[in-house]
């Protein structure tokens, strides 16, 4: 019975008039405009005609968005210039050399490669036992006859191998001196590849030229 009464009451309620609908629509539109000018425009675009964005710090959001850097396009981007000194052109091909040496107790030997300043070389030597050595060079234009430049030195306990790369700091001869301070023979195998134009071995009174090869 109560349900029938409620249905009758609902049927008797008048529908909202066009004026009421228009009024509600106008209120909603006005509210949307207020939100647009007080919040959306200052926060999203930095437009603040009512100065409410600055008051509420909403314009800071727009500034933060504008300050973000755009990602750089990977396709079509111009490469940056390489730092100087990492590439050096050479007028001739590099050379290779391989030497086998045997030193008895108390004996020493020296092998030097002539290189231009800035030329590069890679090397590896290995011995059958620890051997004292020095990696050093002598410029073509020395300030005095005894001048030399030392790059690596182990003249006490020594070691049985060394691998590395080398850039000539001056134009001149660069290489190794080995000395067997032990009581047994030590055999050394040396291999090099680089932009040198000649090589010599010093084991006696006069240096002996070595036959360097073109790469195969």
């Amino acid at each position: 019975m109560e349900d029938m009464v409620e249905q009758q009451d609902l049927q008797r309620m008048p529908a909202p008039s066009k004026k009421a609908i228009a009024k509600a629509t106008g209120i909603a539109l006005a509210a949307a405009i207020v939100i647009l000018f007080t919040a959306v425009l200052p926060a999203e675009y930095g437009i603040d005609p009512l100065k409410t964005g600055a008051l509420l710090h909403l314009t800071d959001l727009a500034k933060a968005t504008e300050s973000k850097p755009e990602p750089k396009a990977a396709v079509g981007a111009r490469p940056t210039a390489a730092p100087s000194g990492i590439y050096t052109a050479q007028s001739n091909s590099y050379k290779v050399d391989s030497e086998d040496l045997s030193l008895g107790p108390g004996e020493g030997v020296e092998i030097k490669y002539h290189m231009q300043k800035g030329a590069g070389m890679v090397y590896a030597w290995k011995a059958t036992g620890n051997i004292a050595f020095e990696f050093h060079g002598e410029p073509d234009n020395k300030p005095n006859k005894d001048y030399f430049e030392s790059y690596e030195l182990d003249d006490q306990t020594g070691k049985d191998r060394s691998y590395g790369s080398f850039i000539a700091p001056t134009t001149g001869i660069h290489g190794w001196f080995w000395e067997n301070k032990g009581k047994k023979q030590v055999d050394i195998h040396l291999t090099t590849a680089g932009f040198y134009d000649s090589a010599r071995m010093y084991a006696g009174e006069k240096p002996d030229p070595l036959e360097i090869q073109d790469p195969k």
Side-chain angles (χ1 to χ4, degrees):
M1 187 67 178
E2 292 180 358
D3 292 340
M4 294 178 62
V5 173
E6 289 179 359
Q7 292 179 1
Q8 290 176 358
D9 291 341
L10 290 174
Q11 292 175 357
R12 294 194 188 111
M13 291 179 63
S17 63
K18 293 183 179 180
K19 183 177 181 180
I21 294 174
K23 183 178 180 181
T25 303
I27 293 173
L29 180 61
I33 293 175
V34 171
I35 294 173
L36 176 66
F37 279 89
T38 59
V40 177
L41 290 179
E44 295 291 334
Y45 305 101
I47 301 173
D48 192 18
L50 303 179
K51 307 303 180 183
T52 56
L55 183 63
L56 299 175
H57 301 286
L58 296 176
T59 51
D60 295 339
L61 297 176
K63 293 177 181 178
T65 302
E66 292 175 356
S67 63
K68 291 181 179 179
E70 295 183 359
K72 296 181 180 180
V75 178
R78 295 183 62 186
T80 57
S84 61
I86 66 172
Y87 167 76
T88 304
Q90 301 289 337
S91 57
N92 297 310
S93 175
Y94 69 93
K95 303 293 183 180
V96 295
D97 185 41
S98 177
E99 303 294 337
D100 289 296
L101 311 168
S102 295
L103 296 179
E107 291 183 338
V109 66
E110 190 171 18
I111 290 183
K112 295 284 187 64
Y113 298 89
H114 189 268
M115 305 171 67
Q116 299 296 315
K117 180 179 180 180
M121 177 176 66
V122 293
Y123 63 86
W125 64 261
K126 188 174 182 180
T128 56
N130 283 4
I131 188 164
F133 75 97
E134 182 177 24
F135 183 27
H136 63 281
E138 299 178 31
D140 286 347
N141 298 317
K142 298 191 294 184
N144 57 70
K145 65 177 183 178
D146 297 323
Y147 178 84
F148 67 94
E149 300 166 342
S150 183
Y151 312 130
E152 184 182 12
L153 174 65
D154 191 338
D155 59 356
Q156 298 301 317
T157 58
K159 58 183 181 180
D160 65 353
R161 67 193 65 195
S162 180
Y163 314 120
S165 60
F166 172 72
I167 301 296
T170 57
T171 298
I173 53 175
H174 310 273
W176 295 266
F177 170 72
W178 294 275
E179 183 179 5
N180 183 0
K181 293 185 176 182
K183 297 181 179 180
K184 295 181 179 181
Q185 176 176 303
V186 177
D187 299 325
I188 304 170
H189 179 69
L190 168 70
T191 56
T192 64
F195 292 97
Y196 42 77
D197 50 57
S198 63
R200 293 185 177 184
M201 181 171 66
Y202 300 78
E205 296 181 358
K206 294 183 180 181
D208 296 320
L210 300 176
E211 296 183 3
I212 56 178
Q213 307 293 326
D214 290 320
K216 296 181 180 180

